[in-house]
Amino acid sequence: FRLVADDGAQLRVDATQASNAAPIVDANGVHSASNSVTGPIHLVVGTHLVVVDYFQAAGSQVALQFFCKKAGGTEQVCPTKLP
């Protein structure tokens, strides 16, 4: 997975925010979208809960992009369901 965010964003898989599970992708903090943050995870076939938490600090720049890649595949904007 890869996140591009202005400002902070975190991605968790198969965990709720309340569980305090470490994020797979941690782009937290106040920053521009000029950097992207990646985090690998191996998922078995099946349904998985993906949660992206995002916050916007003061300012006019807003950005959030969420990318994914299947093993051996090419990166794409993450759809709601991978075939």
Side-chain angles (χ1 to χ4, degrees), residues 56-78:
Q56 175 60 42
S60 61
Q61 299 298 314
V62 177
L64 178 61
Q65 295 175 306
F66 173 33
F67 299 90
C68 58
K69 181 173 81 166
K70 293 169 77 172
T74 58
E75 184 179 77
Q76 63 181 345
V77 172
C78 217

Side-chain angles (χ1 to χ4, degrees), residues 9-80:
Q10 294 181 323
L11 181 143
R12 292 177 175 80
V13 176
D14 293 335
T16 63
Q17 183 179 12
S19 73
N20 294 323
I24 302 300
V25 180
D26 191 353
N28 209 7
V30 177
H31 52 77
S32 71
S34 62
N35 294 340
S36 63
V37 180
T38 62
I41 184 172
H42 175 77
L43 298 174
V44 297
V45 174
T47 301
H48 299 277
L49 175 65
V50 177
V51 176
V52 176
D53 293 313
Y54 171 78
F55 80 90
Q56 175 60 42
S60 61
Q61 299 298 314
V62 177
L64 178 61
Q65 295 175 306
F66 173 33
F67 299 90
C68 58
K69 181 173 81 166
K70 293 169 77 172
T74 58
E75 184 179 77
Q76 63 181 345
V77 172
C78 217
T80 56

